[in-house]
């Protein structure tokens, strides 16, 4: 998101603007500012060009926009001073330009005379110096360009990693939900089995009297075997709880790796760990209860087998008590699991919505990639314009015109793929003859 | 399960949108260029919906839709543009080519699923 903010489309116009302004400033500093009319008189950098103010052939205006009308004579009446639109300008020929370069030189002729240098060589010398200085910009833009390309590559890699991490978290959450559901199923089976079969038999056994025990011996043995089988369910509950705990731990790790985006997953993971700890505790308690019940039943069984009538009532009472405790604990386990499942499912839905939202947010990378691509293209175009300016300055062709930046800006405008870029371009006042970019249409439109 | 074909030259877009749609219980099919998508479609692929980017290599998303609409089996399959471009003139061009809608990146996940719900009655099932 930071990258998105940093490299908004305004960046493009900023970079383009800065480079052009920088080029203009160099031109100005070297004494040809009056020709190109790029800086305000009286600015800190016009010390060398004070003589130009008296030159009527030069339009001296407040600072022009970065687009500049470099190499043009601009009609002051065509646009009000400070207006955002480009002024109506007439391209200058190289001869005109040199004439104008020479003009300020003549107005500082005292200085020239003092140095004993001729006017023409001074102007040509300045042009050569400007051309050399402009040449430095190609290297500068190359550095910036390669950094922008690097940013694109880096955000692309990071975005892919994020997709991967989000998917990991998502699958862990799905697994947790699966494990919890399974745990609930097992507990549910345990309860229904207890109520429907084993417990019924146990209760029945508890109430079996010594007199009919011989007839029920077979049934009692089977009852004991059923009770024993309940331990397997307990083991399974413990196993699932342990598995859930590990999954929750993984979820915590993934959540931490995902940074801020993973905070919601962290909460789910914590809740699930609490659930698994509580499930394990309850399962242990039920196991203990079951062990007591089982021991009591075995004792009861042996007594019955031994036809001893002693303590029959006491034994039945003990078994009934143990069974009640166990049933209570089982109910509590189910209640805890039900609540947790409801919570985790709800959180799971939140997580699913969050995952979808975060995955959609990754489109930002593609958006910024295209914006940065536009900046890179613009910088390449600026390089070409820069080269044209250099060769113009060094050319001896008589009829050559100063290279114009507007066609380049128009071409740039044509490569934009986003309304934001067009709006930024329009806001910079370099639309040329184009109409305003206008408002952005709806983000979602069904035809 | 309904299948959505995703066409985009950005690996990030393909991966993130694929994960998003899978999360919403859709099956997906991806193509990293309009040309390869068209090859799949002409080869008999029949997704329930197509989401394509606009600016890709030689062939763009609008051209893909125009060509895909020529395939009889795809005449009524919803085809959406998902692009950073928001220009009205391009939208009109897409509409004429047979696009069903235009989504500007970055589109909100919930908004995307809502659009899919509108175009695919019954959702992902």
């Amino acid at each position: 998101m930071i990258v998105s903010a940093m490299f908004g489309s305004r960046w493009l116009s900023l970079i383009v603007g800065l480079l052009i302004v920088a080029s203009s400033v160099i031109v100005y500093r070297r004494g040809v500012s009056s020709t190109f009319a790029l800086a305000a008189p009286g600015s800190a950098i016009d010390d060398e060009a004070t003589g130009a103010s008296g030159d009527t052939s030069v339009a001296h205006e407040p600072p022009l926009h970065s687009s500049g009308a470099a190499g043009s004579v601009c009609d002051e009446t065509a646009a009000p001073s400070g207006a955002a639109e480009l002024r109506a300008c007439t391209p200058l020929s190289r001869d005109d330009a040199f004439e104008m370069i020479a003009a300020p030189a003549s107005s500082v002729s005292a200085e020239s005379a003092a140095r004993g240098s001729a006017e023409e060589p001074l102007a040509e010398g300045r042009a050569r110096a400007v051309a050399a200085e402009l040449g430095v910009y190609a290297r500068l833009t190359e550095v910036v360009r390669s950094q922008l390309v690097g940013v694109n590559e880096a955000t692309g890699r990071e975005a892919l990693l994020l997709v991967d991490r989000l998917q990991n978290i998502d699958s862990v959450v799905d697994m947790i939900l699966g494990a919890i559901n399974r745990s609930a199923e097992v507990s549910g089976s345990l309860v229904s089995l207890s109520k429907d079969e084993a417990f019924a038999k146990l209760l029945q056994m508890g109430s079996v009297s010594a007199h009919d025990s011989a007839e029920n011996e077979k049934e009692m043995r089977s009852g004991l075997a059923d009770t024993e089988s309940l331990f397997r369910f307990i083991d399974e509950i413990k196993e699932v709880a342990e598995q859930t705990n590990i999954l929750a731990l993984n979820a915590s790790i993934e959540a931490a790796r995902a940074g801020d985006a993973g905070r919601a997953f962290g909460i789910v993971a914590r809740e699930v760990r609490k659930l698994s700890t509580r499930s394990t505790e309850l399962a242990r308690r039920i196991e203990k209860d079951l062990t007591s019940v089982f021991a009591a039943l075995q004792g009861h069984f042996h007594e019955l087998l031994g036809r001893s009538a002693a303590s029959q009532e006491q034994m039945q009472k003990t078994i009934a008590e143990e069974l009640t405790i166990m049933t209570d604990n089982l109910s509590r386990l189910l209640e805890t699991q039900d609540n947790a499942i409801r919570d985790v499912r709800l959180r799971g839905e939140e997580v699913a919505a969050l995952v979808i939202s975060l995955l959609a947010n990754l489109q930002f990378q593609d958006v910024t990639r295209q914006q940065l691509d536009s900046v890179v293209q613009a910088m390449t175009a600026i390089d070409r314009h820069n080269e044209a300016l250099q060769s113009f300055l060094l050319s001896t062709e008589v009829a050559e015109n100063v290279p114009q930046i507007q066609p380049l800006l128009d071409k740039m405008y044509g490569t934009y793929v986003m309304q934001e870029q067009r709006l930024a371009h329009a806001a910079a006042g370099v639309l040329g003859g184009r109409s305003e970019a206008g408002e952005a249409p709806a983000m979602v439109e069904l035809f | 399960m309904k299948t959505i074909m995703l066409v985009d030259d950005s690996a990030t877009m393909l991966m993130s949108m694929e994960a998003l749609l899978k999360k919403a219980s859709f099956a997906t099919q991806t193509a990293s260029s309009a040309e390869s998508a068209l090859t799949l479609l002409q080869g008999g692929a029949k997704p329930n919906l197509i989401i394509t980017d606009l600016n890709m290599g030689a062939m763009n998303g609008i051209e893909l839709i125009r060509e895909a609409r020529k395939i009889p089996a795809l005449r009524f399959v919803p085809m959406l543009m998902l692009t950073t471009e928001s220009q009205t003139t391009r939208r009109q061009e897409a509409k004429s080519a047979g696009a069903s809608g235009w989504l500007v990146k970055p589109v909100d996940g919930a908004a995307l699923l809502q659009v899919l719900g509108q175009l695919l009655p019954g959702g992902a099932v």
Side-chain angles (χ1 to χ4, degrees):
Chain A
M1 300 303 143
I2 297 163
V3 175
S4 171
M6 274 176 63
F7 297 100
S9 60
R10 285 187 174 275
W11 228 75
L12 182 146
S13 56
L14 185 69
I15 290 178
V16 172
L18 280 175
L19 284 167
I20 298 172
V21 167
S23 306
S24 312
V25 166
I26 292 297
V27 169
Y28 189 89
R29 279 188 67 86
R30 295 294 170 177
V32 288
S33 61
S34 54
T35 305
F36 298 118
L38 280 165
S43 70
I45 52 164
D46 68 348
D47 53 339
E48 285 182 53
T50 45
S53 58
D55 188 345
T56 51
S57 67
V58 174
H60 236 337
E61 285 209 351
L64 254 187
H65 278 283
S66 58
S67 62
S72 312
V73 170
C74 301
D75 177 7
E76 281 180 275
T77 58
S81 166
E85 290 302 316
L86 277 176
R87 296 170 305 164
C89 301
T90 314
L92 290 174
S93 73
R94 189 177 176 281
D95 274 0
D96 296 336
F98 264 91
E99 213 171 281
M100 292 167 119
I101 291 169
S106 66
S107 61
V108 288
S109 54
E111 187 193 337
S112 308
R115 289 204 297 260
S117 53
E119 288 169 0
E120 276 300 307
L122 173 65
E124 285 189 10
R126 282 178 176 175
R128 270 196 301 278
V130 169
E133 197 66 30
L134 285 174
V136 177
Y137 281 93
R139 274 181 279 163
L140 176 68
T141 51
E142 182 50 42
V143 171
V144 179
R145 206 164 33 225
S146 67
Q147 285 175 358
L148 292 181
V149 170
V151 168
N152 259 354
E153 286 169 0
T155 55
R157 274 196 307 273
E158 285 302 316
L160 289 180
L161 274 178
L162 264 176
V163 174
D164 208 35
R165 281 179 189 166
L166 281 174
Q167 280 182 309
N168 280 350
I169 290 176
D170 196 41
S171 63
V172 170
V173 171
D174 278 350
M175 276 195 273
I176 287 174
L177 280 173
I180 289 171
N181 282 336
R182 173 145 174 69
S183 168
E185 267 170 34
V186 174
S187 309
S189 312
L190 176 62
V191 171
S192 66
L193 186 71
S194 307
K195 281 182 181 160
D196 300 345
E197 298 171 29
F199 274 22
K201 279 183 191 167
L202 291 174
L203 283 166
Q204 197 188 348
M205 282 167 69
S207 61
V208 160
S209 70
H211 306 292
D212 50 15
S213 62
E215 290 80 33
N216 290 324
E217 191 185 320
K218 198 178 162 192
E219 202 177 327
M220 286 169 74
R221 281 188 190 281
S222 130
L224 275 176
D226 282 346
T227 313
E228 215 170 359
S229 75
L230 293 179
F231 284 105
R232 283 207 301 275
F233 282 98
I234 301 289
D235 283 345
E236 202 164 344
I237 291 174
K238 283 200 296 188
E239 198 181 304
V240 172
E242 199 177 317
Q243 195 188 342
T244 314
N245 195 30
I246 292 168
L247 286 171
L249 196 67
N250 284 344
S252 309
I253 294 166
E254 288 294 344
R257 285 175 69 194
D260 276 353
R263 207 171 291 155
F265 304 116
I267 296 169
V268 174
R270 265 202 304 281
E271 304 228 340
V272 171
R273 289 194 75 185
K274 272 189 218 158
L275 165 73
S276 64
T277 310
R278 180 113 180 90
S279 295
T280 310
E281 273 171 24
L282 282 169
R284 280 200 190 120
R285 212 178 293 170
I286 292 165
E287 188 179 33
K288 205 177 141 206
D289 297 340
L290 198 58
T291 309
S292 306
V293 172
F294 193 67
L297 279 174
Q298 272 187 320
H300 184 48
F301 179 63
H302 290 308
E303 275 184 38
L304 284 174
L305 284 180
R307 305 278 170 187
S308 163
S311 323
Q312 281 290 311
E313 267 184 47
Q314 184 56 41
M315 188 59 75
Q316 283 175 19
K317 207 177 154 196
T318 310
I319 291 170
E321 276 169 11
E322 296 285 355
L323 283 173
T324 309
I325 294 169
M326 192 173 129
T327 313
D328 284 353
N329 276 336
L330 264 177
S331 303
R332 236 174 294 158
L333 174 71
L334 270 188
E335 202 183 305
T336 306
Q337 283 184 332
D338 278 350
N339 287 340
I341 286 165
R342 224 182 2 258
D343 281 359
V344 172
R345 270 192 190 144
L346 205 64
R347 296 261 181 216
E349 281 167 22
E350 284 171 22
V351 166
L354 187 68
V355 167
I356 284 176
S357 162
L358 288 172
L359 287 168
N361 286 350
L362 288 175
Q363 291 170 79
F364 94 88
Q365 196 276 332
D366 189 47
V367 174
T368 52
R369 177 184 65 89
Q370 293 187 45
Q371 286 177 319
L372 292 186
D373 278 349
S374 288
V375 176
V376 169
Q377 279 178 37
M379 292 178 86
T380 307
I382 288 168
D383 279 351
R384 278 201 295 273
H385 182 65
N386 197 349
E387 282 162 19
L389 281 177
Q390 289 173 58
S391 65
F392 168 78
L393 283 169
L394 301 173
S395 167
T396 52
E397 288 293 320
V398 177
E400 197 178 339
N401 284 337
V402 177
Q404 296 291 291
I405 199 163
Q406 191 59 45
L408 183 152
L409 290 167
D410 290 345
K411 204 175 164 192
M412 246 169 78
Y413 191 89
T415 65
Y416 293 150
V417 292
M418 297 172 72
Q419 191 70 0
E420 268 189 359
Q421 293 172 310
R422 294 185 192 100
L423 291 172
H425 194 108
V430 290
L431 273 176
R434 286 173 185 276
S435 55
E436 288 289 329
E439 286 296 308
M443 295 291 277
V444 174
E445 185 185 358
L446 288 183
F447 301 141
Chain B
M1 193 184 265
K2 286 175 183 153
T3 303
I4 294 180
M5 179 184 269
L6 291 164
V7 190
D8 204 304
D9 58 347
S10 153
T12 313
M13 277 302 294
L14 282 186
M15 267 195 79
S16 58
M17 295 308 286
E18 190 177 18
L20 188 158
L21 293 173
K22 278 185 178 162
K23 184 72 197 150
S25 304
F26 286 105
T28 55
Q29 193 170 16
T30 59
S32 57
S33 71
E35 289 87 346
S36 59
L38 190 61
T39 307
L40 285 171
L41 294 170
Q42 285 170 340
K46 195 184 175 303
N48 299 90
L49 187 142
I50 298 171
I51 299 177
T52 177
D53 187 19
L54 172 61
N55 302 301
M56 292 178 281
M59 186 181 194
N60 72 34
I62 295 177
E63 288 160 352
L64 168 65
I65 289 178
R66 191 174 291 124
E67 289 306 309
R69 284 288 181 220
K70 292 178 186 167
I71 302 168
L74 302 177
R75 201 166 296 155
F76 301 108
V77 169
M79 299 184 192
L80 291 171
M81 300 292 306
L82 174 58
T83 168
T84 50
E85 179 59 82
S86 60
Q87 233 179 8
T88 315
T89 49
R90 298 311 300 274
R91 288 185 194 218
Q92 287 307 319
E93 198 189 326
K95 194 176 173 180
S96 309
S100 316
W102 190 283
L103 310 175
V104 180
K105 288 178 194 171
V107 68
D108 178 63
L112 173 69
L113 293 181
Q114 198 192 345
V115 167
L116 297 182
Q118 276 176 264
L119 294 172
L120 296 171
V125 188

